[in-house]
Structure formats: structure tokens, C-alpha cells
Amino acid sequence: MIGFDYGTSNCAVGVMDGNRPAILPLGDHGRYIASNLYAPSREVIVNWLYAQLPPAEQPAFKQQRTFALQKGQAEIKELALDGIAADLFFGRDALTHYLQEPDEGYYIKSPKSFLGASGLLPPQIELFEDIVAAMMSNVKSLTETALGRSVTRTVIGRPVNFQGLRGEESNRQALAILTRAAKRVGFKEVEFQFEPVAAGFEYEASLTKETRVLVVDIGGGTTDCSMLLMGPEQAAAQDRSRDLLSHSGERVGGNDFDIALALKGLMPVFGLNSSLKSGKAIPVNSYWQAVAINDINLQTEFYSAANGRFLQQLVRDAAEPELVKRLHTVQQHKLSYRVVNAAEQSKIALTEHASQQVDLSDIDDGLAVLLDRDGFGQACQRELSRITALMQDAITQSGTQPEVVFVTGGTARSPVLSQFLQQQFPHTPIVIGDHFGSVTAGLTRWANTIYS
């Protein structure tokens, strides 16, 4: 049995090592594998997955995906004529392949972000299920190699609310996709636990007395808050329902910080905030579409032929056409992920450094942008305010004040975030947990509790 953090940004797996959880190394990826996938063509994902499935799962899958498998097989033959293997890549390998040829192949980052999306058609749901299953199959295989045995039971982390806007309907859709994918690749028992609750379980192991803890999990796609009653006595109980005082969660996470920094920190050198020859402000819609990598509809609009023609006209109408040409280059060569990845890497670098030079010379010769912490904080004011509102919502629901605020998630590393939260809660201790490992460790503890 394992704790499985199928995260928006990273995936990780934990097992119990005596009385403590241990996060497994996943081959060359280390303890964390980035939640992304690259395929030479979207159509071949289903064929790769079919070949990895347990034999008992293959007949039903083949019947359900007959047309998709046939289409993928035809695509495999076309790729073979060009000497391209129909392989899938994950983690750093996926990003490397994408950056080598951004306008070739199929790259997706953070598919978990889309699972609760409104308006998904059945073929889109099947595609996301196959993408999730392919990623889970890869992680499961790496896990079993590391352990030297098969794994059939798991607890998977889930946000309080997935990224859809339809409340429980979105949650049901996302959980159904995750459950079908997990069982398809060979997990026979699948349970879920709220990610902030899991992070709280790990923090609880350090407590020596009963404590009211507001857990804030700033994940890649969502921020989730749980007010928990925790301590040694509570940790010994299997039924924790009375200890979970409140929950709140919303679609705001590390990806939104990356997108905000890309929009407000990088897009000005692509023409954002510039003017038309007429003196009017340049339209901003395409700039937002360009960086909105977690919105299927906006990305589809940005890469449409109609938007390509619009951007060509915008170049002609711009007072500084050389800037807008860069946006057109992003559109022509499918560089949205390239731009947002540059913002993400800068966000990470700003954890240790006060400023960071961003090299964008592959988009335009000599292009570089200097970003700093103050600019990052200004770019992300909306996201920071939304996180504060979620924390206050959890406090209000619980009818009590926290004695400790425990913060986890990759973005929790940022000094900008830490300073902001301390300003909002000046009289409450703020503890920064293992930025990536708290949720995985807590899921592992819960798996050990319910499956033992």
C-alpha cells in the first residue's frame, strides 16, 4: 500500500518505514516527478497505455477505445515513416522534449487542473482519463521497481474543490476520472483524502498536546484550508470526523502564481501595456489567452487560425510592432508553456535570490527580462488576497481561532508568501512544512491507518 500524491505540479509516493513514512525515489526522477507528459502525437497515448495495462484490463479497454486505438495505430505508422518512435515521456524528460521542438508533438502539464472543468465532452473526458492513467501507470511501475513488489492499494490526495466551477458536480467528475484511471492500471483498492488533512496528519506527529491547527496547502492548482483539532490523543483514533472542524478550497495555486508572473512580469516585452498607432491601448485578451495554460478554451482560442490572423493585423496596427511580433511568435510556435515555465523557474529562483534574469533569446534574439521579489508580490496580489480569504473562510466556519497556521506546498517556499501571511496573522505562529513532502507523508500515514 502507498500514499500517492498525484499533484498538479508533482507526483510523489510514500511507504511506511517502521513508524514513519518515507518518500520513495522514482528512478532517475528522484522523489518528485513533474506532473507532465509528452507524446509525439496525442493520438498515440491510448496505444501506449493499452500496452502497459494489466492483461485482465486490456479486453474491456480495447472494447471501449476501439476507434481511438485504430486511429492511434494509423498515427504510429505515419510516425514510423519519419523515424519517430511512439514513446511517451514524463517529468523532466517530457519538458525537455517539448522545449526542443515546441511546435511538434503533444505536451500537457498539470492535467489534474482540467479534471473538474465544465463542459468536457465524452471524448475529452476519455482523453484526460487516458493521460492520467498513463501517468499513474508510469509512477506505479517506478514504485514497484523501487520496492521490488507489486502495489495494489493506495490513498490518493484530493483538493477540497477541484478546479471546476460547478461545485460537487466538478468534484464527482474529477474523482470518477481519477478512480477509473487508478483501477485501470492495477490499483484494486483506491481511497481519497483531502490534501490539507493529509498534510495536517504529518504535522500532527510533531505535536505533544491538543492544538487547533489551520492547515494551508498551496498546491499547483488549488489552495485548500482545513481547521483541524490535532494532538497525540487524536492521532491514535481511526475516526477523525469530529477533529475536522472546517474546510475551504478554491482554484488558486502555484500555477496561478506562475501565470500571473508571466502576464505581468514577462508579457510587457511582448507588447502588453503598449499602444496602437491610433493611441488606444493594445487589446489585452490575447495576452491573457497566451499564458492561461490551465484553461482549455482560452488556449484553443489563442492557437486558432482566426487569432493568428488577428495578431498579424495587430502587428501592423501596433505603435511598437517589434514587441507584438514576439506574441505572434508565441502563437505560431506554440510557446505558451515555454513562457509560463520561464515564469515558474523565476518564481523558484526568487526564493533564494532577490532578483532573477529571464533569458527569452530563443523567442527573440537578445531578449531578457529582469524580475525581482517586489515585482512578484505586485503581480500576485490577487492570488495572495484569495488565499487569505480562504483562510478566513475556514476560520469563520470553524467558529474558533487557530493556535498555529501550518503552510505547505511548493509556493510556500516563497519569502513573498511567508511575509504576506505573517502580515495577515501577526499574532499567530506560522510554521512552514516540507514544501512538497507533507501531503505525501500524511497520505502514507492514512493508508497505513485504513489498510492495516
Side-chain angles (χ1 to χ4, degrees):
M1 58 190 174
I2 60 171
F4 187 179
D5 183 8
Y6 179 72
T8 303
S9 298
N10 296 281
C11 296
V13 169
V15 295
M16 293 302 294
D17 182 9
N19 293 324
R20 295 195 59 80
I23 300 177
L24 284 178
L26 298 173
D28 294 337
H29 300 281
R31 298 198 304 165
Y32 305 101
I33 177 171
S35 300
N36 53 10
L37 174 152
Y38 177 88
S41 169
R42 185 179 72 178
E43 283 70 26
V44 306
I45 295 172
V46 65
N47 301 76
W48 183 93
L49 175 60
Y50 175 74
Q52 309 303 313
L53 294 181
E57 293 289 334
Q58 288 183 333
F61 184 76
K62 186 175 183 179
Q63 185 177 18
Q64 293 170 10
R65 300 285 198 274
T66 298
F67 177 72
L69 286 165
Q70 291 173 347
K71 189 175 180 181
Q73 194 59 47
E75 184 69 14
I76 290 171
K77 291 179 180 178
E78 290 292 325
L79 291 169
L81 293 176
D82 294 327
I84 301 173
D87 295 326
L88 267 57
F89 299 90
F90 306 90
R92 291 190 303 270
D93 295 339
L95 179 60
T96 298
H97 277 79
Y98 163 71
L99 292 177
Q100 287 173 347
E101 294 185 280
D103 50 353
E104 298 291 336
Y106 178 79
Y107 176 77
I108 185 168
K109 176 184 177 182
S110 309
K112 184 179 176 182
S113 298
F114 304 107
L115 303 186
S118 303
L120 290 183
L121 300 174
Q124 291 175 306
I125 290 177
E126 288 184 356
L127 172 63
F128 282 122
E129 184 180 318
D130 292 346
I131 290 170
V132 171
M135 294 172 69
M136 285 185 171
S137 176
N138 178 60
V139 170
K140 187 171 186 289
S141 176
L142 292 170
T143 298
E144 292 176 340
T145 298
L147 293 175
R149 61 179 184 272
S150 64
V151 175
T152 59
R153 297 182 292 180
T154 185
V155 173
I156 300 174
R158 57 154 292 185
V160 174
N161 288 307
F162 285 82
Q163 292 206 9
L165 303 178
R166 298 172 295 154
E168 280 308 308
E169 185 180 349
S170 289
N171 290 337
R172 284 192 295 271
Q173 174 179 288
L175 290 174
I177 291 172
L178 289 169
T179 302
R180 289 194 299 268
K183 291 193 171 181
R184 181 152 277 157
V185 302
F187 289 110
K188 300 191 181 303
E189 296 181 60
V190 179
E191 298 291 339
F192 293 92
Q193 180 57 270
F194 288 131
E195 289 158 350
V197 173
F201 288 157
E202 179 58 13
Y203 177 62
E204 184 175 48
S206 68
L207 295 176
T208 58
K209 64 176 183 177
E210 182 177 289
T211 307
R212 294 186 305 277
V213 182
L214 176 61
V215 181
V216 184
D217 177 26
I218 307 174
T222 61
T223 291
D224 299 292
C225 302
S226 291
M227 183 73 86
L228 303 168
L229 191 61
M230 315 200 83
E233 183 178 338
Q234 286 79 10
Q238 282 205 358
D239 182 4
R240 301 299 301 271
S241 56
R242 285 186 289 184
D243 302 332
L244 310 183
L245 307 181
S246 66
H247 296 299
S248 65
E250 191 180 323
R251 177 182 173 165
V252 54
N255 284 355
D256 297 282
F257 283 85
D258 303 336
I259 289 168
L261 186 57
L263 180 67
K264 298 176 183 177
L266 300 182
M267 280 291 116
V269 301
F270 293 81
L272 181 67
N273 303 329
S274 64
S275 302
L276 300 173
K277 292 175 182 176
S278 65
K280 294 182 179 180
I282 205 154
V284 301
N285 199 38
S286 289
Y287 290 94
W288 173 242
Q289 292 172 347
V291 298
I293 60 170
N294 58 356
D295 190 306
I296 301 171
N297 295 325
L298 292 181
Q299 285 278 281
T300 300
E301 291 173 17
F302 180 69
Y303 288 112
S304 68
N307 192 50
R309 293 189 294 271
F310 170 76
L311 292 178
Q312 287 178 320
Q313 184 62 49
L314 197 61
V315 171
R316 292 191 286 268
D317 293 342
E320 298 177 275
E322 68 280 4
L323 300 185
V324 183
K325 282 180 183 177
R326 295 168 179 166
L327 182 65
H328 191 217
T329 297
V330 172
Q331 199 265 353
Q332 285 184 306
H333 297 287
K334 298 182 179 178
L335 295 172
S336 286
Y337 282 107
R338 163 70 181 92
V339 174
V340 177
N341 181 66
E344 179 185 10
Q345 297 309 311
S346 299
K347 177 190 73 175
I348 295 169
L350 289 173
T351 300
E352 304 293 338
H353 307 283
S355 62
Q356 173 70 14
Q357 185 88 351
V358 184
D359 181 7
L360 297 170
S361 57
D362 56 328
I363 296 176
D364 192 4
D365 288 344
L367 180 60
V369 181
L370 182 66
L371 299 176
D372 58 31
R373 286 179 181 170
D374 287 342
F376 174 54
Q378 292 167 11
C380 300
Q381 278 300 309
R382 179 172 176 268
E383 287 70 29
L384 292 169
S385 297
R386 289 170 67 189
I387 289 173
T388 302
L390 286 172
M391 295 170 70
Q392 292 292 355
D393 183 27
I395 292 170
T396 300
Q397 287 184 47
S398 69
T400 186
Q401 292 292 320
E403 296 171 278
V404 175
V405 175
F406 177 70
V407 188
T408 187
T411 305
R413 299 175 59 197
S414 171
V416 173
L417 177 70
S418 300
Q419 182 179 0
F420 181 83
L421 292 180
Q422 196 64 72
Q423 290 170 349
Q424 308 308 307
F425 296 88
H427 305 299
T428 306
I430 294 180
V431 176
I432 306 298
D434 183 340
H435 306 114
F436 293 117
S438 296
V439 171
T440 309
L443 293 172
T444 305
R445 288 183 184 277
W446 191 240
N448 186 59
T449 297
I450 65 173
Y451 289 130
S452 294

